[in-house]
C-alpha cells in the first residue's frame, strides 16, 4: 500500500477520535444535568408549580446566606436611623405585610389543594431604609429587607409602597434565590461541558447565549410574575389598596425613562405585560382584601 506522505489518514483518524470524545463528554454532562434536574424538583404549594431547588440547600443555609449578604450591604450603604420618620413608616408597612404572610400562604396553597410549606417560619424579619436615589427595595432569604429612599417619591403612598414590598417579600417566600442558584449550577455544568469537550470560546459563548435566552431569562421573568401575584395578594390581605399597583408600575416605567429592553432579552416582564397581568389579577386581589379585612378594609 502506498504511504500517505502528508499523513492525511492519520489526521482524519485523529479528528474522528476527537469528535467521538467530544460527543461522549457532552453526553455525560447532559446525563448528569438531566439527573440533577429531575432529582431536585419539588412543588411550590403557593404557586402549584414544579420548581428546581437543590435538595442539599437547607432553609438554614438560605437564611445564613441572606444574613451574610445583608450585613455586607449594610456595611457599604448605611441605613437611616430607626427613629427617622420614613423608617417608622416603612417598618409599619412591613409589619402589616409580615403579619399576613402565613394566612396568604395558606390561602394560595389551598387554591392548589396543597398544604403551605411554612418556609418563612424561621425568618427573623428586619427592615432598614437606605438613603439612596435608587428606586429599589429587596428582601433576602431569612426576612432581611431594605427600602431605598429613592423609591418613596415614585411610590407616592403607603398602598403602592406595600405593593413593592409585598413583591420583594414574595421572592423570599417562594425561594427564588435558591431556584436561581440551582439554575446557575446547571449553567456552570454547561460551561464545563463545553470547555472539556474542546469547544472553542466562540462556540461556548453561542451555547451559553442560547441557554440564557431559552432558559435563564424566561425563568427570571416567571419569578417576577409570580412575585407580582403573591405580593399583590399579600398587600391586599394586609388591607392596602391593590389597585395602586397599576399606577405604581406606570410611574416606575416613567422613572426608568422608557428604556426597558425587549422582553425576550430581559429578566423582567415588559412594563405593559406586567400591568396587564396585574389588571387581570385585580378581582382576585380585591376578593383577598375583603376576605381578610372585611367591609372596613374596603
Amino acid at each position: 500500500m502506498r504511504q500517505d506522505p502528508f499523513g492525511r489518514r492519520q489526521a482524519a483518524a485523529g479528528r474522528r477520535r476527537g469528535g467521538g470524545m467530544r460527543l461522549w463528554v457532552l453526553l455525560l454532562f447532559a446525563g448528569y444535568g438531566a439527573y440533577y434536574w429531575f432529582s431536585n424538583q419539588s412543588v411550590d404549594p403557593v404557586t402549584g408549580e414544579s420548581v428546581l431547588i437543590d435538595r442539599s440547600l437547607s432553609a438554614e443555609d438560605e437564611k445564613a446566606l441572606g444574613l451574610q449578604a445583608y450585613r455586607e450591604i449594610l456595611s457599604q450603604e448605611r441605613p437611616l436611623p430607626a427613629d427617622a420618620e420614613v423608617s417608622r413608616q416603612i417598618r409599619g408597612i412591613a409589619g402589616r405585610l409580615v403579619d399576613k404572610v402565613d394566612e396568604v400562604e395558606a390561602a394560595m396553597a389551598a387554591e392548589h389543594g396543597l398544604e403551605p410549606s411554612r418556609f418563612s417560619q424561621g425568618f427573623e424579619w428586619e427592615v432598614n431604609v437606605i438613603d439612596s436615589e435608587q428606586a429599589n427595595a429587596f428582601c433576602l432569604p431569612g426576612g432581611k429587607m431594605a427600602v431605598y429612599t429613592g423609591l418613596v417619591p415614585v411610590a407616592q403612598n403607603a398602598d403602592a409602597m406595600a405593593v413593592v414590598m409585598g413583591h420583594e417579600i414574595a421572592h423570599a417566600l417562594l425561594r427564588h434565590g435558591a431556584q436561581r442558584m440551582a439554575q446557575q449550577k446547571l449553567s456552570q455544568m454547561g460551561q464545563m461541558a463545553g470547555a472539556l469537550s474542546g469547544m472553542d470560546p466562540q462556540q461556548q459563548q453561542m451555547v451559553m447565549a442560547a441557554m440564557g435566552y431559552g432558559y435563564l431569562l424566561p425563568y427570571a421573568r416567571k419569578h417576577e410574575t409570580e412575585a407580582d401575584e403573591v405580593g399583590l395578594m399579600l398587600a391586599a390581605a394586609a388591607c392596602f389598596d391593590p389597585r395602586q399597583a397599576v399606577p405604581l408600575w406606570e410611574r416606575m416605567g416613567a422613572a426608568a425613562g422608557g428604556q426597558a429592553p425587549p422582553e425576550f432579552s430581559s429578566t423582567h416582564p415588559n412594563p405593559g405585560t406586567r400591568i396587564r397581568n396585574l389588571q387581570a389579577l385585580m378581582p382576585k386581589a380585591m376578593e383577598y382584601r375583603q376576605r381578610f379585612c372585611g367591609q372596613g378594609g374596603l
Side-chain angles (χ1 to χ4, degrees):
M1 179 183 294
R2 190 175 65 173
Q3 293 185 350
D4 183 348
F6 300 102
R8 286 191 290 267
R9 287 193 179 89
Q10 290 89 334
R15 286 195 296 272
R16 286 195 295 272
R17 286 194 297 271
M21 181 63 70
R22 177 183 296 182
L23 178 61
W24 274 110
V25 169
L26 291 175
L27 287 174
L28 284 171
F29 272 91
Y32 181 71
Y35 168 78
Y36 180 81
W37 171 272
F38 287 108
S39 64
N40 288 284
Q41 291 286 324
S42 59
V43 175
D44 186 289
V46 174
T47 65
E49 296 284 338
S50 181
V51 297
L52 177 67
I53 296 178
D54 196 312
R55 294 189 185 278
S56 67
L57 183 70
S58 69
E60 286 303 310
D61 291 334
E62 268 188 79
K63 184 177 170 181
L65 289 170
L67 179 59
Q68 180 183 353
Y70 196 61
R71 286 173 173 169
E72 289 177 3
I73 293 168
L74 294 185
S75 70
Q76 299 168 15
E77 302 178 282
R78 302 302 299 175
L80 293 177
D83 60 355
E85 179 64 23
V86 66
S87 297
R88 291 199 301 269
Q89 291 174 347
I90 295 299
R91 284 194 171 93
I93 295 170
R96 287 170 60 180
L97 293 168
V98 169
D99 285 346
K100 293 295 183 179
V101 163
D102 287 348
E103 291 177 86
V104 170
E105 278 190 305
M108 296 191 75
E111 293 173 12
H112 307 290
L114 299 170
E115 290 294 323
S117 66
R118 305 297 186 193
F119 173 70
S120 64
Q121 280 192 337
F123 280 17
E124 297 174 0
W125 297 94
E126 180 182 344
V127 58
N128 278 287
V129 179
I130 296 174
D131 189 13
S132 169
E133 294 182 357
Q134 292 186 57
N136 201 6
F138 65 81
C139 181
L140 297 171
K144 303 304 182 184
M145 304 170 62
V147 173
Y148 292 84
T149 54
L151 182 61
V152 174
V154 179
Q156 295 186 2
N157 56 66
D159 297 301
M161 182 64 77
V163 168
V164 177
M165 294 176 68
H167 172 99
E168 299 303 329
I169 289 172
H171 278 307
L173 298 179
L174 298 174
R175 303 187 70 183
H176 284 162
Q179 292 179 45
R180 285 194 294 271
M181 289 172 66
Q183 291 157 14
Q184 288 167 358
K185 188 169 183 177
L186 278 178
S187 178
Q188 290 166 357
M189 290 180 199
Q191 289 177 314
M192 190 178 297
L196 294 178
S197 67
M199 285 185 184
D200 62 47
Q202 185 176 7
Q203 289 174 317
Q204 293 181 47
Q205 188 175 10
M206 290 173 63
V207 170
M208 295 313 297
M211 186 175 183
Y213 285 121
Y215 170 63
L216 298 176
L217 292 177
Y219 255 83
R221 292 194 294 273
K222 182 180 180 183
H223 288 170
E224 290 299 312
T225 301
E226 289 175 348
D228 278 348
E229 178 174 0
V230 176
L232 193 68
M233 300 309 139
L234 193 56
C239 303
F240 293 100
D241 187 352
R243 291 168 293 193
Q244 287 296 322
V246 171
L248 163 72
W249 287 112
E250 290 172 343
R251 292 192 296 271
M252 291 286 272
Q259 299 300 313
E263 187 169 74
F264 74 88
S265 64
S266 175
T267 57
H268 287 61
N270 177 278
T273 301
R274 171 171 253 154
I275 287 171
R276 286 192 295 274
N277 289 341
L278 289 167
Q279 288 171 330
L281 287 166
M282 210 53 65
K284 179 179 176 181
M286 294 304 292
E287 186 275 327
Y288 263 60
R289 192 179 187 208
Q290 181 165 3
R291 175 178 172 183
F292 291 103
C293 299
Q295 294 296 329
L298 294 177

